[in-house]
Amino acid sequence: MLAGSRAFSGYSVDDVGTVRDFYSRTLGLDVGEDHGMLKLNLAGGGQVLLYPKGPAHVPATFTVLNFPVPDVDSAVEALARVGVAFEHYEGTPAETDDKGIFRGGGPLIAWFKDPAGNVLSVVQE
């Protein structure tokens, strides 16, 4: 029934202006705005809707958006140069190294947060 639908995902943010700058300027994504909401236009034609919740916003405690990259180490270094801070998980099954990269099996992955506190990642293809 919905196989032909151009589905999209979405999540909330507290401040559309701050988040718009992060996604467009810091991450370099194509970001549109419509009716006070942001649309992230992703490679391959996908879209993600970011909607404002103001002070009622509660950041996601799980990864809401993954960016596949050919080389996680290079992506982490490039993002760190523009001010992105990576999460560090110590003493957990997802323990990360000094750069914030998980190397414990499976694909290499590094997590970071947007200004609204939502968890994003770069993950090696």
Side-chain angles (χ1 to χ4, degrees), residues 10-11 23 26 29 35-36 58 60 79 81 86 95 103 109 119:
Y11 51 91
Y23 283 96
T26 304
L29 299 179
H35 299 295
V58 176
L79 289 166
R81 281 194 299 273
F86 286 87
E95 187 157 346
R103 300 178 191 273
I109 186 167
V119 181

Side-chain angles (χ1 to χ4, degrees), residues 20 25-26 32-33 38 46 52 69 74 82-83 103 108 111:
R20 178 179 50 257
R25 292 183 182 159
T26 304
E33 190 168 350
L38 300 179
V69 296
S74 295
V82 296
R103 300 178 191 273
L108 301 180
W111 295 275

Side-chain angles (χ1 to χ4, degrees), residues 19-98:
V19 170
R20 178 179 50 257
D21 289 345
F22 175 78
Y23 283 96
S24 65
R25 292 183 182 159
T26 304
L27 300 185
L29 299 179
D30 175 17
V31 178
E33 190 168 350
D34 190 24
H35 299 295
M37 297 181 284
L38 300 179
K39 286 184 184 176
L40 306 180
N41 300 301
L42 305 174
Q47 287 189 332
V48 177
L49 180 70
L50 306 184
Y51 53 93
K53 283 187 80 177
H57 167 71
V58 176
T61 58
F62 52 88
T63 309
V64 295
L65 187 57
N66 297 285
F67 293 95
V69 296
D71 181 358
V72 164
D73 283 281
S74 295
V76 166
E77 290 169 10
L79 289 166
R81 281 194 299 273
V82 296
V84 173
F86 286 87
E87 297 298 297
H88 292 273
Y89 302 112
E90 296 178 16
T92 71
E95 187 157 346
T96 54
D97 65 13
D98 291 343

